[in-house]
Amino acid sequence: MARISIFGIGYVGVVAAGCLAKDGHDVIAVDVDPGKIDAINAGLSPIVENGLDDLIKDVVDAGRLTATNDVEYAVNNTDASFVCVGTPSAPDGSVGLKYVDVVCQNIGEALAKKDAFHSVIIRSTIVPGSCENTCIPTLESASGKKAGTGFGVGYYPEFLRESTAIEDYYDPGLIVFGALDDGTRAILTELNENLNCKIHTVDLRTAEMVKYTSNTWRAVKVTFANEIGNIAKSCGLDGQDVMEILCSDLKVNMSPYFMRPGFAFGGSCLPKDVRALRHLAAENNTPAPLLNAVLDANEAQIVKAEKMVASSKASKVGFVGISFKPGTDDMRESPLAELASRLIKSGVAVEIYDPFVHEAYANDNSTAGRGNDVVPDLKERLNPNLTAMIDGSDMIVVGNIYKDTLSELDAAISNKPMVDLTRISRNRVTGGGYDGICW
């Protein structure tokens, strides 16, 4: 079993920490946020994620997971460090490496005082060349050691989906990593060899590119499906029928998960990663018209939804869902949050039903409202009672599907205008007071 320190107790970090500890590895989680540290050490999850509360409690009680802000302690007491901090977009759209750089600096300083070999494995999403041009130089400068011999280096991207992260961890669709040295390669192989998935061992840059290709492909698929849905609707056709038939062609390994016409994409990965890959292409003087179109089309889908709501002239709108997807409290670049923000700025009163965001606030999680920088007074706008929200609203915007709300929402259509961005029922098409965004 390995001893692993994980830097960054965010979504990727806490899920990895819990699952690694469950598998029997000794894990030390490292962060600067005392709220997250205290939560972990108390056996609590700092984020809302299916199954994570029980998992964290079990591994903390078993003594296999602890949290600290002491970098030197974490490095000295583990064999490898995972860097799982965020890489938000820089103002120019490039990948933001400031948090990764700071963590590498801190780890490097600890490595300077450690005699034993130690591997530094980046899990943060970074564009090709980032390990070689930023991470390794920072680690070498701070440690006074040479990458590949004085310490190990690897890049090991994650492909977890929020709300199904634990399931995805143990049943991955893709495993890929790059390593400079045999020691790091052996650690990563050990962590993955019992999973039912082929392991792709590549160079650092290829592993970095696979992660961006995966995220950008998902973003492209969402946009493509939405465009087809919009065109189909303009022809009096059902866009979801069209795309379901297209997706039945499994010979080209087409995944239907993202190929479903609906609302814009958001979250912590797709928007910023499309921006970063577009910026990289521009730096290399490589035309990338589709990447430009993806972001333009995604924005157009938000504008379309805004116009659909505005046309109703409703003065109070109830939102079903505000996080970027159902099953999580994550608000980062949520298109629903952006839509709500625009309506609020135009003078519309907005009330929100979102059980996962509400749960985070109700539990006083230190990360409650995480990623929200557009919806003012978010906590006060939340209503845990769907019926009361519907009754008090002039119209309803359905952004996320929660199964226990479907019958009530379907019944509400008869007396309440509704803009449906996700589709509560395949039996519903635009007509009367109901307006589906792509059907």
Side-chain angles (χ1 to χ4, degrees):
M1 293 297 176
R3 301 183 305 160
I4 299 170
S5 48
I6 294 182
F7 287 76
I9 314 179
Y11 161 68
V12 174
V14 72
V15 172
C19 292
L20 286 168
K22 178 184 178 182
D23 292 342
H25 305 290
D26 291 322
V27 181
I28 301 175
V30 187
D31 205 285
V32 297
D33 185 341
K36 294 179 179 179
I37 294 169
D38 292 343
I40 291 289
N41 288 330
L44 302 172
S45 170
I47 67 170
V48 176
E49 174 67 31
N50 290 335
L52 196 56
D53 289 330
D54 291 339
L55 176 58
I56 295 299
K57 182 181 185 304
D58 289 345
V59 295
V60 169
D61 288 348
R64 291 195 298 273
L65 173 62
T66 59
T68 182
N69 63 358
D70 190 331
V71 174
E72 189 171 333
Y73 169 81
V75 171
N76 285 338
N77 288 277
T78 55
D79 307 308
S81 295
F82 285 1
V83 177
C84 301
V85 295
T87 54
S89 293
D92 63 358
S94 63
V95 60
L97 296 175
K98 60 180 181 179
Y99 300 127
V100 172
D101 195 42
V102 168
V103 170
C104 287
Q105 176 72 28
N106 293 338
I107 293 175
E109 291 171 358
L111 290 177
K113 304 174 185 178
K114 182 175 181 177
D115 294 329
F117 189 84
H118 190 93
S119 293
V120 182
I121 298 164
I122 312 298
R123 299 213 74 185
S124 301
T125 303
I126 52 180
V127 296
S130 297
C131 275
E132 296 171 0
N133 298 330
T134 299
C135 301
I136 290 175
T138 298
L139 289 164
E140 288 182 334
S141 175
S143 68
K145 299 178 180 181
K146 184 70 175 176
T149 54
F151 61 90
V153 175
Y155 183 69
Y156 172 36
E158 52 78 27
F159 300 96
L160 307 177
R161 297 168 296 169
E162 296 195 36
S163 78
T164 58
I166 296 174
E167 176 185 340
D168 290 345
Y169 186 92
Y170 288 107
D171 186 21
L174 176 62
I175 297 173
V176 61
F177 57 77
L180 280 185
D181 54 282
D182 292 338
T184 302
R185 191 174 297 107
I187 289 174
L188 291 173
T189 300
E190 177 190 349
L191 297 181
N192 290 285
E193 61 187 357
N194 292 324
L195 297 174
N196 185 28
C197 186
K198 179 181 179 180
I199 297 175
H200 301 270
T201 305
V202 296
D203 59 273
L204 295 174
R205 285 182 178 238
T206 298
E208 291 167 329
M209 188 64 188
V210 168
K211 172 60 176 176
Y212 266 95
T213 301
S214 173
N215 279 4
T216 302
W217 173 229
R218 280 180 277 163
V220 168
K221 288 194 288 186
V222 171
T223 299
F224 175 73
N226 286 339
E227 188 162 309
I228 293 300
N230 292 337
I231 295 170
K233 182 180 177 181
S234 72
C235 299
L237 304 173
D238 189 322
Q240 289 191 357
D241 281 345
V242 172
M243 292 306 303
E244 284 178 0
I245 293 169
L246 182 68
C247 291
S248 69
D249 180 8
L250 300 179
K251 289 187 177 181
V252 293
N253 294 319
M254 184 178 290
S255 167
Y257 186 81
F258 292 95
M259 302 293 279
R260 185 177 184 274
F263 196 36
F265 61 80
S268 62
C269 298
L270 304 191
K272 75 177 182 65
D273 292 348
V274 175
R275 287 195 296 266
L277 200 58
R278 181 179 65 171
H279 185 274
L280 180 66
E283 281 187 329
N284 293 338
N285 295 315
T286 302
L290 179 58
L291 296 184
N292 294 328
V294 166
L295 295 177
D296 290 343
N298 205 53
E299 165 62 19
Q301 203 71 353
I302 299 176
V303 170
K304 179 180 181 180
E306 184 181 4
K307 291 179 178 178
M308 291 169 70
V309 176
S311 66
S312 72
K313 302 188 184 304
S315 61
K316 186 173 183 181
V317 176
F319 270 63
V320 178
I322 198 68
S323 60
F324 89 93
K325 63 179 285 189
T328 179
D329 65 325
D330 197 339
M331 299 277 293
R332 286 175 289 182
E333 297 207 42
S334 166
L336 290 172
E338 178 60 26
L339 175 60
S341 172
R342 296 180 188 186
L343 294 174
I344 292 168
K345 288 178 181 178
S346 71
V348 175
V350 171
E351 195 171 48
I352 300 161
Y353 174 84
D354 190 309
F356 293 90
V357 175
H358 178 265
E359 179 184 349
Y361 277 108
N363 292 340
D364 290 324
N365 286 2
S366 63
T367 54
R370 59 192 174 116
N372 174 47
D373 57 3
V374 295
V375 180
D377 306 314
L378 174 61
K379 183 178 180 181
E380 288 69 33
R381 295 179 186 277
L382 293 171
N383 188 339
N385 188 316
L386 177 63
T387 302
M389 189 198 74
I390 292 174
D391 291 342
S393 300
D394 298 327
M395 76 167 301
I396 303 300
V397 171
V398 183
N400 287 335
I401 286 182
Y402 308 107
K403 291 183 179 179
D404 57 351
T405 69
L406 294 180
S407 60
E408 186 170 358
L409 289 172
D410 194 55
I413 294 173
S414 60
N415 54 32
K416 193 76 61 170
M418 181 178 294
V419 170
D420 191 351
L421 308 178
T422 187
R423 203 165 204 180
I424 61 174
S425 171
R426 288 307 303 272
N427 296 324
R428 293 287 182 181
V429 294
T430 295
Y434 175 88
D435 199 1
I437 191 168
C438 292
W439 49 90

